Amino acid sequence: MNDTRAARIASLRAELDEHNYRYYVLDDPQIPDADYDRLFRELQALETEYPELISPESPTQRVGAQPSGQFATIQHSVPMLSLSNCFNEQELAEFDGRVRKGLELTDQASAVVYVGEPKLDGTAVSVRYEDGLLARAATRGDGRNGEDITANVRTIRAVPLKLRGADLPHVLEVRGEVYMPLKGFRAYNERAEAAGEKTFVNPRNAAAGALRQLDPRLTAARPLAAYFYGWGVIEGWDLPETHSELLKQFRFWGLPVNPLIEQVEGVEGCLDYYARVGDRRANLAYEIDGIVYKVDRLDWRETLGFVSRAPRWAIAHKFPAEEAMTILQDVEFQVGRTGAITPVARLEPVFVGGVTVSNATLHNMDEVRRKDVRIGDTVVVRRAGDVIPEVARVIPDKRPAGAGVVTMPMTCPVCDSEIVRLEGEAVARCTGGLICQAQLHGALVHFVSRRAMDIEGLGEKLISQLIASGRLRSPADIFTLTVDEVAGMERMAQKSGQNLIDAIERSKQTSLARFLYSLGIREVGESTAQALASHFGKLADLIEAAEQDLPTAGAEKTKDRYPRLTAVPDVGTIVAGHICSFLHEPHNRAIIERLQACGVHWPDVDVKQDAPGPLQGKTFVITGTLPTMSRDEAKALIQKAGGKVSGSVSGKTDFVVAGEAAGSKLDKAEALGVAVLTEQDLKAML
């Protein structure tokens, strides 16, 4: 091997890495693009001649992976949390007040130091370096699990394949935003349009689509860049005292950090930074949709901690949503998967915030009346949160004569079942839960789930296929399926089809509580279904009670409503109203009768008055992994002792039983002052 050639290859790599660093991190390029390309081509030619000298961190190896058939899942070592939002000065001041209270800063003269940074409108990523080399990259995903996009991220020149310096962490997992600069976005769209290919409506969509290409060569063809602003894991290196110091270290290691990031003091400093960056927004080389403020001191962050899925020490201050005027041509009503009836405005198409909008939500009829929206009005459309188009307000001076009043239909536009709206709820709902095609997929997935009818093998994808084929139109249709019909579906065969039919046959023998839960009656979870079964014993008695309660549903005194149903422990007027509405709907009753005719059966429950258990009247929430029993086992013991088990923590919760990795429910319990028990504490109570 020619030592001179090897030395030249090493020299070229070092020179190209230096130019990348100066271009993407220092924003101070030293050579024209043409000279950079000449050096790159020379290195490419030498590596082609001496392939044994190619290394993964070489600048030429950014596009080397073969197309992938799918993205693997990567579990984040530390969850990628979302941020809470504020939209005005008062909400920002309230955030600062919460921070000061959490830190016990009583001296009003001492302002909290924050780090202000532009909130890029791109795609969040996590990039892991091991001993200085890029090891893997992932999308945010659901915050805990993301998609492996390592091959695609390697194509982004702004992301170093190898960190600079000698004092490197053993593991460094950095978080940042991949985005498409506006100049590159426009150039890409111009090329795509000239070639007759699909163009993108905004840079954010273009960046997100580029990262999810199965062929990294397609990602490389898109002009992506990145800025890093946080971290997940750092091993083998001591953290500094502040976030701003760590960002300086990021730059030293060769990671691009937004040059507009700066320290600010207190609410006034945040607002000044917000105004200054806002003034520059239109002239920036990339799109931003707000500002993020983060407490600078890392020990203070540890003190403040997290709430739910967001840190208490950071907040996003969103810029005002973009707005535009157009004509509201009509209002139609859509049925959601939970039966919610939503008025949707059909608009004269208008370009708002990077997309052409022809439909916008009106939320509910209370909002329609509050805004006095009428058909034919000139309205202001806003992309709420820069994502969901909504009708923000009406321009009364432009209202034409005879503008049409918007009225809620009496029956569901999909299944013709009655639409009801219970007192205290803003949303009207379709009562045809078992037959409404708009709700069918969700209803069937729930019906067959393990804690409902427990039909093993009938998953979401197969349900979707059977609905699309027209074979499933209600839960009762499940019990008329044949082996040949099931075996003919995608990824099914004769044996798997037979296994499913056997599982369907076994599910016919169930319990009244499981059956009631499987119907998907709103607010009727497992605990409430068990309480109804234990109280009434027979389905016929429950239906009779609902029929007798229905005429009194208009009684003025709350305690007079639904007296038979509210006699059941933990069933209040709202739940009773949902039960009455569901069982009063003829379509639902017909499906129940069909299910029984298909052979679904259960033994009647022996209704008896047991002595109150030791946990009578107490509400529990179980979270985390318990040492010696499963959550279902703990739940059964609590219910047997007269207690109720809920899925969420609220002010009505008496106890939270917490195991390992308890998560946000434990945080909420502590915030609300709810008593927290170990498994041993629970056993002692029992």
Side-chain angles (χ1 to χ4, degrees), residues 1 57 72 144 149 155 184 267 275 368 428 492 527 536 592 643:
M1 184 187 302
E57 66 271 19
R144 296 187 179 275
I149 54 169
T155 71
V267 174
V368 171
M492 297 294 289
S527 299
F536 290 105
I592 291 172

Side-chain angles (χ1 to χ4, degrees), residues 293-590:
Y293 311 113
K294 301 174 181 175
V295 172
D296 197 20
R297 281 180 51 172
L298 302 188
D299 60 338
W300 281 3
R301 292 188 184 184
E302 288 291 327
T303 300
L304 291 166
F306 304 84
V307 55
S308 184
R309 293 172 60 87
R312 290 190 177 97
W313 42 262
I315 198 165
H317 191 175
K318 302 297 286 291
F319 289 127
E322 297 184 59
E323 298 181 340
M325 281 199 309
T326 188
I327 304 297
L328 190 150
Q329 297 175 327
D330 198 3
V331 173
E332 296 179 5
F333 290 86
Q334 291 184 345
V335 187
R337 61 182 180 82
T338 63
I341 309 294
T342 303
V344 177
R346 304 304 184 193
L347 307 167
E348 185 176 295
V350 62
F351 198 72
V352 186
V355 299
T356 299
V357 172
S358 55
N359 303 315
T361 181
L362 290 164
H363 298 293
N364 54 61
M365 287 303 294
D366 283 351
E367 282 292 284
V368 171
R369 295 189 185 96
R370 184 180 69 81
K371 295 174 180 175
D372 191 24
V373 177
R374 301 189 188 184
I375 297 169
D377 274 342
T378 297
V379 297
V380 174
V381 180
R382 178 175 60 214
R383 293 188 66 206
D386 290 332
V387 176
I388 304 170
E390 68 170 351
V391 173
R393 59 188 180 275
V394 172
I395 310 298
D397 294 345
K398 293 181 176 291
R399 173 167 290 163
V405 176
V406 180
T407 57
M408 172 70 76
M410 299 296 292
T411 59
C412 173
V414 175
C415 70
D416 204 36
S417 297
E418 183 182 4
I419 291 175
V420 299
R421 176 183 169 185
L422 297 181
E423 185 177 345
E425 291 195 357
V427 177
R429 296 182 186 276
C430 164
T431 58
L434 295 183
I435 60 100
C436 184
Q437 298 302 294
Q439 305 173 63
L440 183 59
H441 186 270
L444 291 181
V445 169
H446 174 77
F447 183 81
V448 305
S449 62
R450 183 168 62 87
R451 293 176 177 173
M453 294 301 290
D454 191 20
I455 302 179
E456 186 177 355
L458 189 50
E460 292 191 37
K461 291 184 178 179
L462 183 54
I463 287 173
S464 296
Q465 291 181 57
L466 290 167
I467 291 174
S469 70
R471 188 59 184 81
L472 289 189
R473 299 185 65 82
S474 81
D477 291 336
I478 292 172
F479 297 93
T480 65
L481 291 170
T482 66
V483 173
D484 290 340
E485 286 175 326
V486 175
M489 294 291 116
E490 184 181 344
R491 296 188 179 180
M492 297 294 289
Q494 201 71 19
K495 183 177 180 180
S496 55
Q498 185 62 59
N499 290 340
L500 176 56
I501 297 302
D502 292 342
I504 292 172
E505 188 63 30
R506 288 193 300 271
S507 74
K508 291 180 180 180
Q509 171 63 55
T510 186
S511 67
L512 177 56
R514 276 181 172 270
F515 182 75
L516 291 174
Y517 175 62
S518 75
L519 296 178
I521 303 172
R522 202 167 149 72
E523 305 286 351
V524 176
E526 293 175 84
S527 299
T528 304
Q530 184 63 59
L532 291 167
S534 300
H535 184 85
F536 290 105
K538 299 179 180 179
L539 177 61
D541 291 349
L542 169 60
I543 292 174
E544 182 181 357
E547 288 177 339
Q548 291 174 348
D549 271 1
L550 193 64
T552 66
E556 292 190 7
K557 294 182 179 180
T558 302
K559 292 183 179 179
D560 294 336
R561 293 181 175 181
Y562 317 110
R564 295 159 186 81
L565 291 175
T566 54
V568 180
D570 298 319
V571 173
T573 55
I574 292 176
V575 177
H578 290 311
I579 295 170
C580 274
S581 296
F582 185 93
L583 294 177
H584 177 65
E585 174 55 52
H587 295 308
N588 293 334
R589 291 275 290 276

Side-chain angles (χ1 to χ4, degrees), residues 55-66:
S55 65
E57 66 271 19
S58 172
T60 65
Q61 299 305 298
R62 290 192 176 275
V63 189
Q66 293 299 311

Side-chain angles (χ1 to χ4, degrees), residues 19-87:
H19 288 309
N20 278 334
Y21 174 70
R22 300 195 70 87
Y23 186 93
Y24 292 106
V25 179
L26 302 182
D27 195 23
D28 183 28
Q30 296 296 297
I31 62 173
D33 289 348
D35 288 349
Y36 179 97
D37 293 339
R38 178 180 53 76
L39 295 172
F40 187 92
R41 286 194 299 271
E42 183 184 350
L43 175 61
Q44 226 171 12
L46 286 170
E47 288 182 342
T48 301
E49 186 177 358
Y50 300 99
E52 67 275 12
L53 295 179
I54 295 175
S55 65
E57 66 271 19
S58 172
T60 65
Q61 299 305 298
R62 290 192 176 275
V63 189
Q66 293 299 311
S68 167
Q70 60 181 357
F71 293 105
T73 298
I74 287 181
Q75 183 175 5
H76 298 302
S77 304
V78 174
M80 293 184 70
L81 300 175
S82 54
L83 294 176
S84 300
N85 294 325
C86 69
F87 295 89

